[in-house]
Amino acid sequence: MTDDNNPRSQTPASLPLGLARRGFSGTIQHLSAGQAGSALSDIELESRLIELGFVEGARVEILHEGIVGRDPIAVRVDNITVAVRRREAMAIIVA
């Protein structure tokens, strides 16, 4: 359920980066670590993603997917390239 009065709520055009396929490019809308299902705590996951450059407004592009289960993914975030597990990428909401 989305809250139309909440600017951080997911719109139909937004999706977790972990569901996107190779070649996807978009902009980070916000982080939502509670939906990631990571072994890390929500706060720790958000902190790590921010340190890697996954911040609101950053441009992202999926460059490569791993062979087994399409995991991990290589993501260009603005001008850097990082590898991230799809499970953690589920916390990055993009459009």
Side-chain angles (χ1 to χ4, degrees):
M1 176 189 252
T2 60
D3 178 4
D4 293 334
N5 296 325
N6 183 353
R8 294 176 62 107
S9 66
Q10 279 185 248
T11 63
S14 65
L15 74 151
L17 185 62
L19 296 180
R21 302 290 289 194
R22 183 177 176 207
F24 171 87
S25 51
T27 304
I28 297 174
Q29 302 299 303
H30 65 276
L31 299 180
S32 182
Q35 298 176 4
S38 173
L40 301 172
S41 72
D42 294 354
I43 293 170
E44 186 175 3
L45 177 57
E46 277 197 29
S47 294
R48 287 183 181 200
L49 291 172
I50 290 168
E51 288 171 359
L52 290 171
F54 292 97
V55 295
E56 287 183 27
R59 297 279 308 150
V60 293
E61 179 183 1
I62 297 181
L63 303 174
H64 183 74
E65 300 175 328
I67 295 171
V68 178
R70 299 178 21 238
D71 202 22
I73 55 176
V75 181
R76 178 173 293 133
V77 184
D78 286 334
N79 295 326
I80 63 165
T81 302
V82 296
V84 63
R85 292 182 190 100
R86 283 199 180 269
R87 177 179 36 210
E88 277 81 29
M90 294 298 285
I92 305 163
I93 308 302
V94 295

